[in-house]
Amino acid sequence: MEQKKKEQDVLIVRDEKTGEIGVVAGLKRDGTPNLKPAQAEHAQDFLRFDRHGNALDNFFANFYRQCKEPKRFGFYRVAAEGVEKVVAVMKDLLKDPIGFQDVLSPHKVDTTKYEQAAAQQQAQETAAPKQTPSAEEAQQPEQTQQQEATPAAEQGYKPIDIDRLDRSEVEQRWGIDLAALEQSGDLERMRHYGKSQLIECTPDFGGVRVSMQARLSLRENPDGTVSLVPHPIRREPNLDEYQNVKFTQEDQENLKKTSNLGRVAEVVDSATGELIPSFISIDRLTHETVATPVSAIRIPDEVKGVKLDPTQQAALLRGEGVFVEGMTAKSGKTFDATIQINADKRGLDFHFGGQRRAQRQEQSQASDDVQQPRRLRIGKTLLGAEITPEHKAGWEQNKWVYIEGMTDKKGQKFNAYVRPNHEKVKFDFSRKRPEQSQIHEIKPDNASHTQVAVNSEGKTHEATKHVGEPLQRGQTAPANKEQQRRQQNANKPKMRR
């Protein structure tokens, strides 16, 4: 098993025009190979291919579809292990490719079949009339809606032949009406290697019918027949492992949040023992763990009107989520979402909000790492009251300033002494009069003489001496019934006992 893990290759490419040599790390926007130096710090960027798989077909299908000068590049397939030393030797050999032809030949990638396939496809597209997308293809995605991806092996793709399915056996064994599946559209999805929605079925277990809910799929058997496969609901997903893959804590968190593993894992083929790079997801309806080979999924060039750049495509190929802005729904409205390959759907998931929040948190954290100490901002108003240059002059001396007409959280007006607290980055408020030395006096206008004398200078005014509250601007008498009652009660003569 360990030996098979090491059996991975990478592509070394030589640009015949510039002479540049490097390891392939995906494709650029124009379809040309993205070259990386054969150094350890770039190893995680290298495209890797299982030695016994067909993921290489996917790469060259995209390359010949996008690159305008494909013959400009020469590709060589070498072992990923020790690639740093191999590239150093290859550079010397490629200085004289004819002289070292015998040495280079076993590694040279024959791209003839890819060129022919690309030319054939282009000819077919040129000859075929353009078709208007169906309503289903243009449908706006919901939070978990699938966007079907084209199978990687486009030239050989064929839907499952349902005529090879024994309909009577399906009805008798599983208690399923195929006509109803066909009418609902589920059978069509199953023909294209998908699953039905949850349906009620009554399988026969030794003469006993048991009612259960399950999703259905089709399987092609070695003898050429087609069988129906039920996927019953599980009590909960298995977040510990899938076959030979042990889930890390990060894997488990990803599966809980998005139902996708968030990376490519090497899943063992139970028949051959081969380790196959695969996407892993949880079926949200049944809690079943599902794996789909990377080679079976073609990464799209464009999603909902937005062209994906090579970096985004590479991230999707690694199983990661990619935040995409400005996609267009069927309604014509634009939307932002995180897209990610879902193994169960064999296509794209759309997740809304999470990636943007994560990006904001990362940006905030990065900003905090270099952020200067916060400072209290003094604006033109404070709780709705105007802040004048005289107020600011008092605050520059770190003194209290009396401000009237502020509005609290309940919408009530109030007056108070205010002083900035730069250490806590906030304002301090006091309805009680501070010590005289800590107050910055502001010269009042004529309408405020009595107010300032009482509130700020500690003087008394007989008509408002017992109102129990700071005076308002221009106030020389009780302002309401409650203040009037206090003033009157205080002025009543006290009876002697």
Side-chain angles (χ1 to χ4, degrees):
M1 190 73 67
E2 182 63 26
Q3 179 63 27
K4 288 186 177 293
K5 279 191 174 183
K6 296 181 180 179
E7 292 180 353
Q8 288 188 328
D9 294 339
V10 295
L11 284 178
I12 294 176
V13 63
R14 183 178 191 272
D15 188 333
E16 304 295 346
K17 181 180 289 188
T18 65
E20 183 182 5
I21 298 174
V23 183
V24 174
L27 296 175
K28 297 180 181 178
R29 185 180 292 273
D30 59 0
T32 58
N34 183 18
L35 275 61
K36 293 287 186 180
Q39 299 170 356
E41 57 264 35
H42 298 292
Q44 62 181 1
D45 298 325
F46 300 161
L47 283 186
R48 296 172 182 267
F49 307 93
D50 188 86
R51 193 161 300 170
H52 306 289
N54 60 353
L56 197 65
D57 297 343
N58 189 27
F59 169 79
F60 279 111
N62 289 327
F63 170 69
Y64 278 100
R65 186 174 61 254
Q66 300 178 43
C67 186
K68 295 181 179 179
E69 299 179 88
K71 293 185 178 180
R72 165 182 160 184
F73 301 94
F75 294 91
Y76 300 85
R77 185 169 179 167
V78 301
E81 189 175 8
V83 67
E84 299 94 337
K85 297 179 181 178
V86 174
V87 170
V89 175
M90 293 284 285
K91 286 183 177 180
D92 290 334
L93 297 178
L94 288 172
K95 291 178 181 178
D96 183 11
I98 297 178
F100 292 103
Q101 184 175 1
D102 293 342
V103 180
L104 293 171
S105 180
H107 301 284
K108 177 74 173 178
V109 178
D110 184 2
T111 59
T112 304
K113 65 176 182 179
Y114 304 117
E115 294 180 54
Q116 293 175 347
Q120 181 181 356
Q121 183 179 356
Q122 185 175 5
Q124 292 174 348
E125 291 175 351
T126 302
K130 294 184 178 180
Q131 298 181 353
T132 303
S134 66
E136 182 177 354
E137 292 172 331
Q139 185 178 1
Q140 177 179 355
E142 299 296 335
Q143 289 193 5
T144 58
Q145 181 180 343
Q146 166 189 6
Q147 174 167 324
E148 296 291 347
T150 305
E154 294 180 11
Q155 296 300 320
Y157 175 74
K158 290 182 180 180
I160 297 174
D161 184 3
I162 58 173
D163 289 338
R164 293 184 283 134
L165 179 66
D166 189 337
R167 290 176 175 255
S168 60
E169 193 268 345
V170 168
E171 293 178 0
Q172 292 175 7
R173 181 179 178 184
W174 300 106
I176 295 171
D177 184 359
L178 285 178
L181 283 178
E182 195 166 8
Q183 186 175 5
S184 66
D186 281 331
L187 191 58
E188 184 65 18
R189 282 189 286 270
M190 293 161 63
R191 286 183 64 235
H192 292 280
Y193 306 92
K195 293 180 184 177
S196 71
Q197 296 300 310
L198 279 174
I199 68 165
E200 291 284 347
C201 56
T202 54
D204 185 348
F205 295 104
V208 178
R209 292 281 181 182
V210 178
S211 179
M212 68 178 188
Q213 282 193 319
R215 299 183 73 185
L216 309 174
S217 66
L218 297 176
R219 179 182 64 208
E220 294 180 298
N221 302 317
D223 62 0
T225 60
V226 173
S227 299
L228 183 141
V229 180
H231 304 270
I233 296 176
R234 290 160 170 74
R235 181 174 299 176
E236 59 185 18
N238 184 349
L239 298 179
D240 296 325
E241 61 184 0
Y242 175 72
Q243 295 189 21
N244 63 302
V245 180
K246 303 292 184 182
F247 296 146
T248 65
Q249 186 65 38
E250 183 179 358
D251 292 338
Q252 294 177 7
E253 291 301 320
N254 289 337
L255 290 169
K256 290 177 183 178
K257 291 178 181 178
T258 67
S259 296
N260 302 318
L261 189 65
R263 65 181 177 92
V264 171
E266 291 185 315
V267 179
V268 66
D269 186 317
S270 56
T272 65
E274 178 184 359
L275 290 172
I276 301 176
S278 304
F279 300 110
I280 295 178
S281 301
I282 300 292
D283 184 330
R284 296 184 180 96
L285 297 180
T286 67
H287 297 155
E288 179 186 17
T289 306
V290 181
T292 298
V294 172
S295 59
I297 303 294
R298 182 179 70 82
I299 304 301
D301 302 318
E302 182 178 301
V303 179
K304 297 295 178 183
V306 177
K307 185 173 179 60
L308 302 182
D309 60 40
T311 301
Q312 292 172 314
Q313 289 180 310
L316 287 175
L317 193 60
R318 294 193 298 269
E320 300 170 5
V322 175
F323 185 69
V324 179
E325 298 180 284
M327 292 181 284
T328 304
K330 179 185 176 183
S331 63
K333 295 182 179 180
T334 59
F335 66 98
D336 308 332
T338 297
I339 61 174
Q340 189 175 30
I341 296 295
N342 181 287
D344 176 51
K345 297 178 177 180
R346 301 174 72 91
L348 292 179
D349 254 349
F350 291 80
H351 306 288
F352 293 82
Q355 181 71 12
R356 170 169 285 182
R357 287 194 297 269
Q359 288 182 344
R360 286 175 176 171
Q361 289 173 358
E362 290 176 2
Q363 292 170 357
S364 175
Q365 181 62 45
S367 176
D368 290 344
D369 290 341
V370 296
Q371 192 174 8
Q372 297 299 322
R374 293 170 57 201
R375 299 185 63 182
L376 180 64
R377 178 182 175 274
I378 299 177
K380 295 181 179 180
T381 61
L382 178 62
L383 299 181
E386 181 183 0
I387 300 302
T388 67
E390 289 187 76
H391 293 139
K392 294 180 180 180
W395 288 339
E396 287 176 359
Q397 303 173 47
N398 197 32
K399 290 190 174 184
W400 295 92
V401 173
Y402 189 77
I403 298 180
E404 60 177 313
M406 293 180 287
T407 306
D408 62 20
K409 293 181 179 180
K410 296 181 179 180
Q412 302 296 319
K413 294 288 185 179
F414 75 101
N415 305 331
Y417 290 92
V418 183
R419 182 176 65 179
N421 188 328
H422 295 288
E423 183 179 348
K424 295 183 178 180
V425 197
K426 69 181 189 69
F427 286 96
D428 290 334
F429 296 84
S430 175
R431 292 181 186 254
K432 294 182 178 181
R433 178 180 172 82
E435 293 183 8
Q436 184 63 35
S437 60
Q438 298 298 317
I439 299 174
H440 175 74
E441 303 292 355
I442 296 177
K443 185 178 180 180
D445 56 23
N446 292 331
S448 302
H449 276 295
T450 301
Q451 175 196 15
V452 173
V454 173
N455 294 341
S456 298
E457 298 176 3
K459 297 181 180 179
T460 59
H461 181 254
E462 287 302 320
T464 59
K465 186 175 181 179
H466 303 288
V467 296
E469 297 176 7
L471 300 185
Q472 301 295 321
R473 183 174 181 272
Q475 182 179 354
T476 58
N480 51 48
K481 291 183 178 180
E482 178 60 25
Q483 290 185 0
Q484 187 175 6
R485 183 186 65 80
R486 293 173 188 164
Q487 184 72 17
Q488 290 175 347
N489 288 342
N491 291 333
K492 288 181 180 179
K494 295 182 180 180
M495 298 182 65
R496 295 181 181 178
R497 294 184 178 179

